[in-house]
Amino acid sequence: RKPVFLYWGATWCPPCNQLKATFFNRQDFAALSRSFVAVHVDGDRPGAQKLGRRFKVSGYPTVVLFTPEGAEITRLPGEADAAQMMAVLQLGLAGGRPVKAVLADALAGKPLPANEWKSLAFYSWATDDQQLLPRAEVPPTLVQLAVACPAGEAEMQTRLWLKALAASDDGQGVKPDAALRARVQRVLADPAQSRLQMDTFAGSDVAAIVRVLEPEEGDAGRAPLVASFDAALRRLQSDATLSRGDRMGALYGRVELARIDAPKEAAQVRLPEALLKDVREHVARADREITDGYERQAVITFGAGVLGRAGLWAESDALLKANLAKSHSPYYLMSQLGGNARKQGRNDEALDWYAQAFDKSEGPATRLQWGSGYLSALVDLAPQDAARIEKTASQLLAEAARDDGAFEGRSLRSLQRVGNKLQTWNADGKQAAALRRLQTQLDGLCPKVDAAEGQRAACQALLKPAPKKAEQAA
């Protein structure tokens, strides 16, 4: 007869480690935990992927609060400041209605109390996993909520607008006007407001917001808007009341702003020397000061990513290599090293790091994920190495045969990526013999897979081409 607090994560996942370093270790969380049943589901534990499918959780981390009867009250925003996340948890425990009902009433135009507007504004839309809405409906729904939120709930209304702006980067959702631009500028100019809304525009979201508000590079309003965002992010970067991860997010946002007009995946960019100096010093300080293993996994991997986005590849590589022995999940860092090498065109080195990462990865779901990444890189970077591609695919099928959860949740998606990549590799029919051998291996596996929930059917379809559109229509 208590609410259930579900944390779904993985050992290697940096944001999961951020929660462990900043939220789960809080004294107020420990005290509050006596009022609910806390359940930690590690994605590599037996049955974890089945639970993930049942409760519609797939991204790590996802944090869900349930009523004692099993209704979902809310998904907590792991990206928010820990104190704000705690406030959302307390709201849910204080008799909060399921967010599905709250959303329905809001969209129907019914009046909501302040705490329910807060539950909508702080809902984890990033991990909704189409529980409340199809993914394509999130941007326009956020706009609708921002419009409907009463003026008296200014902070929640602003948060909804910022969330809508960040979700509208593909042209869906917000059609900005002068009033919205002025609202954003007021938030950026106010230190208290910008800190409250920090998680909505730190990281990569800031570039998305700028592109929606000022779409063209030469727009008169773009330079002042970028300057205002950079000033707010500089304050957050130096705010000692924020976690190191949040401060690193502010720095990452500054880098994304500085490269906003460069091609998204450009490996080499020219950034201001002052910003590069900030990046080097900030990341080096974090590396020196962090003593907690969870925080190190979260922040140092993030810092290596910031260095790479700033074009400081040698420093990024050095940081990752120096931290391999300090990480409880070094294979994550090895994958980052592979990504760094790949972006710079050092394909053999990239494949070597991806191979090491797969070899060192631990846990059935994690190994399928890392293995599918390695196989994808092999097909992209060394398609002529048929023996290695077939050997890797065969190994993944052998591991799937030993895992009861291989055809559920994230593990199934990893295997489907393998199947799709192999189909691409054989597009010209030259690898048909290798695929026949793999299909024979799969034919021995699929009859042993549970037929429930379409698992056996998913196994049987793994190496078969997807039906053509005309056949699907028929």
Side-chain angles (χ1 to χ4, degrees):
R1 291 187 288 275
K2 287 184 177 181
V4 172
F5 177 96
L6 168 67
Y7 160 60
W8 158 270
T11 302
W12 52 264
C13 154
C16 304
N17 283 274
Q18 174 77 357
L19 284 178
K20 293 173 186 175
T22 62
F23 186 67
F24 296 143
N25 63 352
R26 290 171 61 102
Q27 290 185 350
D28 53 357
F29 177 79
L32 195 62
S33 68
R34 289 191 283 271
S35 62
F36 55 77
V37 178
V39 181
H40 169 207
V41 179
D42 185 298
D44 282 304
R45 298 292 292 171
Q49 296 304 318
K50 183 186 292 290
L51 286 171
R53 176 179 48 75
R54 177 180 171 186
F55 291 109
K56 289 190 177 179
V57 293
S58 63
Y60 299 143
T62 300
V63 184
V64 189
L65 183 65
F66 296 94
T67 68
E69 295 75 32
E72 187 170 308
I73 298 174
T74 194
R75 298 195 173 201
L76 280 76
E79 70 278 6
D81 176 56
Q84 292 177 349
M85 190 173 172
M86 176 60 67
V88 177
L89 174 58
Q90 290 168 330
L91 277 178
L93 292 171
R97 286 198 298 154
V99 70
K100 199 166 201 171
V102 175
L103 177 63
D105 284 354
L107 296 179
K110 296 180 181 179
L112 301 179
N115 65 318
E116 292 192 341
W117 279 113
K118 185 166 187 173
S119 75
L120 289 172
F122 277 90
Y123 181 71
S124 180
W125 298 98
T127 62
D128 176 64
D129 224 9
Q130 306 193 83
Q131 176 81 339
L132 293 184
L133 295 168
R135 195 167 287 111
E137 292 181 18
V138 171
T141 300
L142 286 169
V143 173
Q144 192 175 346
L145 290 172
V147 170
C149 188
E153 302 297 334
E155 290 179 354
M156 299 306 106
Q157 188 180 56
T158 295
R159 185 176 180 85
L160 287 165
W161 276 121
L162 289 168
K163 287 287 187 183
L165 284 165
S168 300
D169 194 29
D170 58 0
Q172 301 295 315
V174 178
K175 303 295 185 286
D177 57 14
L180 181 54
R181 292 184 177 94
R183 178 190 290 269
V184 173
Q185 286 283 13
R186 286 195 300 273
V187 171
L188 298 176
D190 184 331
Q193 283 294 310
S194 57
R195 191 194 186 288
L196 180 69
Q197 306 291 354
M198 170 269 307
D199 62 289
T200 62
F201 57 78
S204 59
D205 282 351
V206 63
I209 291 172
V210 169
R211 289 190 189 98
V212 176
L213 290 173
E214 302 291 348
E216 300 301 326
E217 182 178 345
D219 285 352
R222 178 176 272 200
L225 180 62
V226 168
S228 295
F229 266 115
D230 188 67
L233 289 167
R234 280 202 311 273
R235 287 197 307 270
L236 295 168
Q237 180 189 326
S238 60
D239 187 343
T241 68
L242 289 171
S243 71
R244 288 188 182 90
D246 288 335
R247 282 178 272 162
M248 192 68 74
L251 178 62
Y252 185 75
R254 293 184 63 208
V255 170
E256 290 301 292
L257 281 178
R259 53 176 295 153
I260 192 169
D261 296 317
K264 188 174 181 180
E265 297 305 324
Q268 300 301 328
V269 290
R270 293 179 62 86
L271 301 186
E273 283 300 323
L275 177 57
L276 294 177
K277 182 172 181 288
D278 264 5
V279 169
R280 289 186 173 105
E281 291 178 351
H282 191 95
V283 175
R285 183 165 55 252
D287 190 31
R288 285 194 309 272
E289 294 177 353
I290 293 173
T291 57
D292 179 80
Y294 295 135
E295 187 179 20
R296 181 164 292 277
Q297 183 73 8
V299 178
I300 296 305
T301 53
F302 199 177
V306 175
L307 288 166
R309 291 297 283 170
L312 302 173
W313 295 108
E315 286 100 323
S316 180
D317 286 348
L319 179 69
L320 291 167
K321 290 174 184 177
N323 276 275
L324 285 171
K326 301 175 185 178
S327 172
H328 55 64
S329 305
Y331 48 90
Y332 188 92
L333 282 68
M334 292 171 182
S335 289
Q336 280 190 276
L337 284 161
N340 282 3
R342 182 173 183 172
K343 287 166 188 166
Q344 297 171 81
R346 304 198 305 267
N347 293 346
D348 289 344
E349 182 184 340
L351 288 174
D352 182 58
W353 280 118
Y354 289 138
Q356 289 187 62
F358 176 38
D359 181 60
K360 298 294 185 184
S361 62
E362 298 175 341
T366 292
R367 285 194 56 75
L368 290 179
Q369 181 174 339
W370 256 249
S372 71
Y374 175 42
L375 184 132
S376 293
L378 280 171
V379 172
D380 290 342
L381 305 179
Q384 74 287 352
D385 195 345
R388 187 155 49 146
I389 291 171
E390 184 178 351
K391 179 183 177 182
T392 303
S394 178
Q395 181 179 349
L396 287 168
L397 293 181
E399 295 197 15
R402 297 191 293 270
D403 175 15
D404 289 342
F407 290 90
E408 296 193 273
R410 291 173 66 99
S411 294
L412 172 58
R413 287 190 289 277
S414 294
L415 289 170
Q416 287 171 333
R417 284 194 292 273
V418 168
N420 292 337
K421 208 67 185 180
L422 291 171
Q423 292 293 340
T424 301
W425 182 52
N426 188 43
D428 57 4
K430 292 182 179 178
Q431 310 301 336
L435 260 68
R436 280 195 298 271
R437 288 189 292 271
L438 291 169
Q439 183 64 56
T440 298
Q441 183 179 354
L442 194 63
D443 289 342
L445 160 63
C446 292
K448 302 171 187 174
V449 174
D450 193 337
E453 304 294 339
Q455 294 174 68
R456 186 178 299 166
C459 179
Q460 293 166 337
L462 198 63
L463 296 179
K464 291 182 169 59
K468 295 180 180 178
K469 289 183 179 179
E471 294 171 353
Q472 290 174 330

Short mmCIF file of all heavy atoms in Angstrom, two decimals, residues 262-291:
data_model
loop_
_atom_site.label_atom_id
_atom_site.label_comp_id
_atom_site.label_asym_id
_atom_site.label_seq_id
_atom_site.Cartn_x
_atom_site.Cartn_y
_atom_site.Cartn_z
N ALA A 262 28.11 26.11 -38.17
CA ALA A 262 28.95 25.08 -38.80
C ALA A 262 28.10 23.86 -39.10
O ALA A 262 27.06 23.64 -38.47
CB ALA A 262 30.10 24.70 -37.87
N PRO A 263 28.49 23.03 -40.07
CA PRO A 263 27.77 21.77 -40.30
C PRO A 263 27.70 20.97 -39.01
O PRO A 263 28.67 20.92 -38.25
CB PRO A 263 28.62 21.06 -41.37
CG PRO A 263 29.33 22.17 -42.07
CD PRO A 263 29.59 23.23 -41.03
N LYS A 264 26.56 20.34 -38.76
CA LYS A 264 26.31 19.71 -37.46
C LYS A 264 27.40 18.75 -37.05
O LYS A 264 27.81 18.70 -35.89
CB LYS A 264 24.95 19.00 -37.50
CG LYS A 264 24.51 18.46 -36.15
CD LYS A 264 23.10 17.90 -36.21
CE LYS A 264 22.67 17.40 -34.84
NZ LYS A 264 21.29 16.84 -34.86
N GLU A 265 27.88 17.92 -37.98
CA GLU A 265 28.87 16.90 -37.63
C GLU A 265 30.29 17.27 -38.04
O GLU A 265 31.16 16.40 -38.13
CB GLU A 265 28.47 15.55 -38.25
CG GLU A 265 27.15 15.00 -37.73
CD GLU A 265 27.11 14.87 -36.21
OE1 GLU A 265 28.16 14.53 -35.62
OE2 GLU A 265 26.05 15.12 -35.62
N ALA A 266 30.53 18.55 -38.32
CA ALA A 266 31.88 18.96 -38.71
C ALA A 266 32.88 18.63 -37.60
O ALA A 266 32.67 18.98 -36.43
CB ALA A 266 31.91 20.45 -39.00
N ALA A 267 33.98 17.95 -37.95
CA ALA A 267 34.97 17.56 -36.95
C ALA A 267 35.90 18.71 -36.60
O ALA A 267 36.34 18.85 -35.46
CB ALA A 267 35.78 16.37 -37.45
N GLN A 268 36.19 19.55 -37.58
CA GLN A 268 37.09 20.67 -37.36
C GLN A 268 36.31 21.98 -37.44
O GLN A 268 35.63 22.25 -38.42
CB GLN A 268 38.21 20.67 -38.42
CG GLN A 268 39.07 19.42 -38.42
CD GLN A 268 39.76 19.18 -37.08
OE1 GLN A 268 40.11 20.11 -36.37
NE2 GLN A 268 39.97 17.90 -36.73
N VAL A 269 36.37 22.75 -36.37
CA VAL A 269 35.67 24.03 -36.31
C VAL A 269 36.61 25.08 -35.75
O VAL A 269 37.56 24.76 -35.04
CB VAL A 269 34.40 23.94 -35.43
CG1 VAL A 269 33.34 23.08 -36.09
CG2 VAL A 269 34.74 23.39 -34.04
N ARG A 270 36.33 26.34 -36.08
CA ARG A 270 37.13 27.45 -35.53
C ARG A 270 36.29 28.15 -34.47
O ARG A 270 35.27 28.77 -34.80
CB ARG A 270 37.52 28.42 -36.65
CG ARG A 270 38.50 27.84 -37.66
CD ARG A 270 38.82 28.85 -38.75
NE ARG A 270 39.47 30.03 -38.22
CZ ARG A 270 40.78 30.15 -38.01
NH1 ARG A 270 41.59 29.12 -38.29
NH2 ARG A 270 41.30 31.27 -37.54
N LEU A 271 36.71 28.04 -33.24
CA LEU A 271 36.00 28.66 -32.13
C LEU A 271 36.90 29.73 -31.50
O LEU A 271 38.12 29.68 -31.62
CB LEU A 271 35.63 27.61 -31.08
CG LEU A 271 34.75 26.44 -31.54
CD1 LEU A 271 34.36 25.58 -30.34
CD2 LEU A 271 33.51 26.93 -32.26
N PRO A 272 36.30 30.70 -30.81
CA PRO A 272 37.10 31.76 -30.17
C PRO A 272 38.12 31.17 -29.19
O PRO A 272 37.82 30.23 -28.45
CB PRO A 272 36.05 32.60 -29.44
CG PRO A 272 34.76 32.34 -30.15
CD PRO A 272 34.84 30.92 -30.62
N GLU A 273 39.31 31.74 -29.19
CA GLU A 273 40.37 31.23 -28.31
C GLU A 273 39.98 31.30 -26.84
O GLU A 273 40.34 30.42 -26.05
CB GLU A 273 41.67 32.02 -28.54
CG GLU A 273 42.41 31.63 -29.82
CD GLU A 273 42.82 30.17 -29.82
OE1 GLU A 273 43.20 29.63 -28.76
OE2 GLU A 273 42.77 29.55 -30.90
N ALA A 274 39.23 32.35 -26.48
CA ALA A 274 38.82 32.48 -25.07
C ALA A 274 37.92 31.32 -24.66
O ALA A 274 38.02 30.80 -23.54
CB ALA A 274 38.10 33.81 -24.86
N LEU A 275 37.05 30.89 -25.57
CA LEU A 275 36.17 29.76 -25.27
C LEU A 275 36.97 28.46 -25.19
O LEU A 275 36.75 27.64 -24.28
CB LEU A 275 35.08 29.65 -26.33
CG LEU A 275 34.12 28.45 -26.21
CD1 LEU A 275 33.42 28.46 -24.84
CD2 LEU A 275 33.09 28.46 -27.34
N LEU A 276 37.91 28.27 -26.09
CA LEU A 276 38.75 27.07 -26.04
C LEU A 276 39.54 27.01 -24.74
O LEU A 276 39.68 25.93 -24.14
CB LEU A 276 39.70 27.04 -27.24
CG LEU A 276 39.05 26.89 -28.62
CD1 LEU A 276 40.11 26.95 -29.71
CD2 LEU A 276 38.27 25.59 -28.71
N LYS A 277 40.01 28.16 -24.28
CA LYS A 277 40.74 28.21 -23.00
C LYS A 277 39.80 27.80 -21.86
O LYS A 277 40.18 27.03 -20.97
CB LYS A 277 41.28 29.62 -22.78
CG LYS A 277 42.09 29.81 -21.50
CD LYS A 277 42.72 31.20 -21.50
CE LYS A 277 43.57 31.43 -20.24
NZ LYS A 277 42.77 31.60 -19.03
N ASP A 278 38.57 28.32 -21.89
CA ASP A 278 37.57 27.96 -20.88
C ASP A 278 37.31 26.45 -20.87
O ASP A 278 37.21 25.82 -19.81
CB ASP A 278 36.25 28.69 -21.16
CG ASP A 278 36.13 29.96 -20.35
OD1 ASP A 278 37.09 30.32 -19.65
OD2 ASP A 278 35.06 30.60 -20.42
N VAL A 279 37.16 25.88 -22.07
CA VAL A 279 36.87 24.45 -22.19
C VAL A 279 38.01 23.63 -21.59
O VAL A 279 37.79 22.72 -20.77
CB VAL A 279 36.64 24.06 -23.67
CG1 VAL A 279 36.61 22.54 -23.82
CG2 VAL A 279 35.35 24.68 -24.19
N ARG A 280 39.24 23.96 -21.98
CA ARG A 280 40.39 23.21 -21.47
C ARG A 280 40.47 23.29 -19.94
O ARG A 280 40.65 22.28 -19.25
CB ARG A 280 41.68 23.76 -22.07
CG ARG A 280 41.88 23.44 -23.55
CD ARG A 280 43.26 23.91 -24.00
NE ARG A 280 43.56 23.48 -25.34
CZ ARG A 280 43.53 24.30 -26.41
NH1 ARG A 280 43.19 25.57 -26.27
NH2 ARG A 280 43.82 23.82 -27.61
N GLU A 281 40.34 24.51 -19.40
CA GLU A 281 40.50 24.70 -17.96
C GLU A 281 39.36 24.04 -17.18
O GLU A 281 39.61 23.43 -16.14
CB GLU A 281 40.58 26.20 -17.64
CG GLU A 281 41.86 26.85 -18.15
CD GLU A 281 41.91 28.34 -17.86
OE1 GLU A 281 40.87 28.90 -17.42
OE2 GLU A 281 42.97 28.96 -18.10
N HIS A 282 38.14 24.17 -17.67
CA HIS A 282 36.98 23.63 -16.96
C HIS A 282 37.05 22.10 -16.89
O HIS A 282 36.84 21.50 -15.83
CB HIS A 282 35.69 24.07 -17.66
CG HIS A 282 34.45 23.79 -16.87
ND1 HIS A 282 33.86 24.72 -16.05
CD2 HIS A 282 33.69 22.68 -16.77
CE1 HIS A 282 32.80 24.20 -15.48
NE2 HIS A 282 32.67 22.96 -15.90
N VAL A 283 37.36 21.48 -18.02
CA VAL A 283 37.43 20.02 -18.05
C VAL A 283 38.60 19.52 -17.21
O VAL A 283 38.48 18.54 -16.45
CB VAL A 283 37.52 19.51 -19.50
CG1 VAL A 283 37.72 18.00 -19.52
CG2 VAL A 283 36.27 19.89 -20.29
N ALA A 284 39.74 20.18 -17.29
CA ALA A 284 40.90 19.76 -16.51
C ALA A 284 40.62 19.88 -15.01
O ALA A 284 41.03 19.02 -14.22
CB ALA A 284 42.12 20.61 -16.89
N ARG A 285 39.91 20.94 -14.61
CA ARG A 285 39.59 21.12 -13.19
C ARG A 285 38.66 20.00 -12.70
O ARG A 285 38.86 19.44 -11.61
CB ARG A 285 38.95 22.49 -12.97
CG ARG A 285 38.64 22.79 -11.51
CD ARG A 285 38.36 24.27 -11.28
NE ARG A 285 37.30 24.77 -12.14
CZ ARG A 285 37.47 25.59 -13.17
NH1 ARG A 285 38.69 26.01 -13.49
NH2 ARG A 285 36.45 26.01 -13.90
N ALA A 286 37.68 19.66 -13.50
CA ALA A 286 36.78 18.56 -13.13
C ALA A 286 37.56 17.26 -12.99
O ALA A 286 37.35 16.49 -12.03
CB ALA A 286 35.68 18.41 -14.18
N ASP A 287 38.48 17.01 -13.89
CA ASP A 287 39.27 15.78 -13.84
C ASP A 287 40.12 15.73 -12.57
O ASP A 287 40.28 14.67 -11.95
CB ASP A 287 40.16 15.70 -15.09
CG ASP A 287 40.84 14.35 -15.24
OD1 ASP A 287 40.25 13.34 -14.81
OD2 ASP A 287 41.96 14.31 -15.79
N ARG A 288 40.65 16.88 -12.17
CA ARG A 288 41.47 16.94 -10.95
C ARG A 288 40.64 16.75 -9.69
O ARG A 288 41.06 16.09 -8.75
CB ARG A 288 42.19 18.29 -10.85
CG ARG A 288 43.36 18.50 -11.77
CD ARG A 288 44.18 19.71 -11.32
NE ARG A 288 43.38 20.91 -11.11
CZ ARG A 288 43.09 21.80 -12.05
NH1 ARG A 288 43.53 21.61 -13.29
NH2 ARG A 288 42.37 22.88 -11.78
N GLU A 289 39.45 17.34 -9.66
CA GLU A 289 38.71 17.46 -8.41
C GLU A 289 37.78 16.28 -8.10
O GLU A 289 37.48 16.01 -6.93
CB GLU A 289 37.88 18.76 -8.42
CG GLU A 289 38.74 20.02 -8.42
CD GLU A 289 37.90 21.28 -8.50
OE1 GLU A 289 36.66 21.16 -8.70
OE2 GLU A 289 38.48 22.37 -8.40
N ILE A 290 37.31 15.59 -9.12
CA ILE A 290 36.32 14.53 -8.88
C ILE A 290 36.96 13.33 -8.20
O ILE A 290 37.98 12.80 -8.66
CB ILE A 290 35.65 14.11 -10.20
CG1 ILE A 290 34.80 15.25 -10.76
CG2 ILE A 290 34.78 12.87 -9.99
CD1 ILE A 290 34.23 14.99 -12.14
N THR A 291 36.33 12.88 -7.12
CA THR A 291 36.82 11.69 -6.41
C THR A 291 35.79 10.57 -6.42
O THR A 291 36.15 9.41 -6.19
CB THR A 291 37.16 12.04 -4.95
OG1 THR A 291 36.00 12.60 -4.31
CG2 THR A 291 38.29 13.05 -4.88
#
